[in-house]
Amino acid sequence: MKSINHLELEKFINIVYDKSLSSYIWGGTGIGKSETISKVAQDIARENKKKFIDWNRISDEHKRELLKDDVFEESFIFCDIRASQLDSSDTRGLPTFVNNFVEWKPNLVFKVLSNPKASGILFLDELNLAPPSILASLYQVILDRCIGEISFPDSVVPIAASNRIEDRGAVFELPAPLANRFLHLELKVPDVESWTAYGLDNGHKIDSRIISFLQFKPSRIYSYDSRNKDKSFATPRMWVKTSKLIEGIDSEDLDLIETLVSSSVGEGIAVEFTAFLKLARKIDVESLIKKPESVKNIKEIDLKYSVLATVSEYYRNHKTANILKGVIQICANMETEFGVLLSRLVKAVDVEFWRKEVIKIPDFKEWARANEKYLF
């Protein structure tokens, strides 16, 4: 099976949606399969000038509003259905006697998506966790774009995703006739560079200490091993949660940070992470701000990464134009890879403030011109 990265997956989903083809995305746990597909759905909605509707996060009243054509036509619906949680009535619906005949009343989301003017993505997550009886009831949805007596237009596209068999997630083998109806690709675990871009761009705010640590030890971004019985392990998804856990907690409170990080990515990595933060105590940030050229005296690779974490955290807590000037001068005195990353970390703290103030710093213009292929 072909393995692709997240950007390649975005392009692929755009193509299969445009051609109305069913696809199946495989990949390890917590690497961003569902989030990537949701992001593409939002992009498609925006490109078609439609309102993105996350079916799972709107009220029952809003869902019923979508039965009205005037509301519906301007909407693009993304519905995340966990196949492992379905029973047969969730798919085909329930029978109702009408004039001595039986009519099937479909699930509300299927009724909405059966509108000929409907557009959206029907995301069947955890498909291979569903028991065979439920998989059989989903055949019609995937193969014939219908369920019971209702059918879906070509602009409603089913996309499935799940963990791989080797992940040992209590999965069922996908029947060959069903598998043969999908296009299959495997999503790779993101590398640290692409995950850093995700963490800094598009409004995502990942703690700079985590980004610096993973740049220093990139293998720690994903530690899942099906043979390991530990309940906590590192995945991109759990690092996002870790960022939220330690937000606002000072690096001096190492015991608390170790406890929090252990709960999300495991004890071993938490010990490494707190050891990394201890290096910050060797960094005199205020002295570096005043004498940026002194950063050249730092030779150890671990301390250089620690500078990134320490300086960006200091800037977050003491953001002023003068401190930004000192930080930019530190960037200019570091090797390109470190200086560029530090610049991206401080920019992510407050993009508008950064844009307004950085152009006033003479040293920045010259440095940025020299490194524009990495910065922009």
Side-chain angles (χ1 to χ4, degrees):
M1 191 188 313
K2 173 74 172 178
S3 295
I4 59 173
N5 61 34
H6 288 67
L7 287 177
E8 291 170 327
L9 176 60
E10 290 181 23
K11 294 176 183 177
F12 175 77
I13 296 300
N14 270 291
I15 291 171
V16 296
Y17 179 80
D18 185 56
K19 299 181 182 299
S20 194
L21 297 171
S22 302
S23 57
Y24 201 125
I25 310 304
W26 301 82
T29 183
I31 64 172
K33 298 184 293 296
S34 57
E35 185 174 54
T36 301
I37 295 169
S38 175
K39 177 184 180 298
V40 175
Q42 294 175 58
D43 293 341
I44 294 172
R46 186 165 49 252
E47 289 165 7
N48 288 277
K49 295 180 171 56
K50 295 199 172 193
K51 183 179 180 181
F52 175 76
I53 302 293
D54 189 335
W55 179 269
N56 303 78
R57 289 177 169 79
I58 61 174
S59 66
D60 290 343
E61 182 181 358
H62 191 176
K63 290 175 181 177
R64 286 171 173 77
E65 283 288 311
L66 290 169
L67 291 169
K68 302 175 182 178
D69 282 351
D70 57 335
V71 177
F72 188 84
E73 288 184 41
E74 60 186 31
S75 302
F76 186 94
I77 297 175
F78 175 76
C79 180
D80 182 345
I81 294 179
R82 302 298 166 110
S84 59
Q85 299 173 12
L86 295 177
D87 62 34
S88 57
S89 64
D90 291 321
T91 51
R92 188 172 184 186
L94 296 171
T96 302
F97 282 99
V98 179
N99 297 326
N100 296 321
F101 293 96
V102 172
E103 289 186 354
W104 286 89
K105 300 298 182 183
N107 185 304
L108 179 57
V109 67
F110 290 156
K111 178 64 176 177
V112 170
L113 292 176
S114 68
N115 189 310
K117 298 178 181 179
S119 60
I121 289 177
L122 183 59
F123 180 43
L124 303 170
D125 202 3
E126 302 175 350
L127 187 62
N128 62 352
L129 284 176
S133 60
I134 299 302
L135 283 177
S137 69
L138 291 173
Y139 270 114
Q140 266 194 308
V141 175
I142 299 160
L143 276 60
D144 303 317
R145 301 292 178 85
C146 66
I147 188 72
E149 298 172 354
I150 64 172
S151 59
F152 308 117
D154 288 345
S155 51
V156 173
V157 178
I159 297 176
S162 66
N163 294 337
R164 304 156 299 183
I165 296 293
E166 58 265 34
D167 293 320
R168 297 186 180 181
V171 299
F172 294 90
E173 190 73 51
L174 200 66
L178 180 57
N180 192 240
R181 295 292 177 166
F182 285 107
L183 308 170
H184 296 266
L185 286 173
E186 180 176 339
L187 182 62
K188 298 176 183 177
V189 175
D191 59 44
V192 169
E193 292 305 322
S194 60
W195 193 79
T196 296
Y198 158 84
L200 296 178
D201 298 340
N202 302 316
H204 294 289
K205 304 296 183 183
I206 305 298
D207 194 290
S208 59
R209 293 169 290 182
I210 290 175
I211 290 176
S212 301
F213 171 71
L214 292 178
Q215 287 282 334
F216 175 49
K217 291 199 169 184
S219 64
R220 303 306 187 262
I221 194 170
Y222 191 78
S223 66
Y224 177 70
D225 185 339
S226 60
R227 298 165 296 181
N228 194 327
K229 295 183 179 180
D230 288 346
K231 299 297 186 292
S232 298
F233 50 88
T235 65
R237 176 172 60 201
M238 292 311 297
W239 278 118
V240 173
K241 293 184 178 181
T242 303
S243 180
K244 293 179 181 178
L245 272 175
I246 67 174
E247 181 180 359
I249 298 177
D250 194 276
S251 294
E252 294 296 317
D253 199 346
L254 290 176
D255 288 341
L256 176 58
I257 287 179
E258 184 174 333
T259 298
L260 295 173
V261 176
S262 293
S263 73
S264 57
V265 298
E267 187 175 2
I269 292 178
V271 170
E272 291 183 308
F273 182 67
T274 50
F276 175 75
L277 295 183
K278 286 179 183 178
L279 291 172
R281 295 172 178 174
K282 298 183 179 180
I283 307 297
D284 186 343
V285 183
E286 293 183 357
S287 178
L288 281 180
I289 296 289
K290 292 176 182 176
K291 296 181 179 180
E293 67 278 2
S294 64
V295 75
K296 294 179 179 178
N297 298 327
I298 298 175
K299 304 298 183 183
E300 299 89 340
I301 192 72
D302 52 356
L303 280 178
K304 289 180 181 180
Y305 281 108
S306 186
V307 167
L308 304 183
T310 308
V311 172
S312 56
E313 185 182 16
Y314 182 86
Y315 173 77
R316 182 183 297 276
N317 296 329
H318 305 85
K319 184 184 66 180
T320 66
N322 194 50
I323 289 176
L324 177 59
K325 179 181 178 181
V327 171
I328 293 300
Q329 290 173 334
I330 291 172
C331 294
N333 280 280
M334 299 185 81
E335 294 95 327
T336 299
E337 62 179 295
F338 293 102
V340 168
L341 181 53
L342 179 56
S343 174
R344 293 172 67 194
L345 289 171
V346 297
K347 178 182 178 181
V349 171
D350 186 333
V351 175
E352 291 305 316
F353 179 84
W354 187 88
R355 286 174 176 165
K356 183 178 70 173
E357 296 297 333
V358 79
I359 59 174
K360 303 174 185 177
I361 303 173
D363 294 342
F364 176 76
K365 294 178 182 178
E366 182 179 350
W367 179 74
R369 276 196 296 269
N371 297 285
E372 60 182 343
K373 68 178 180 180
Y374 305 108
L375 283 170
F376 308 111

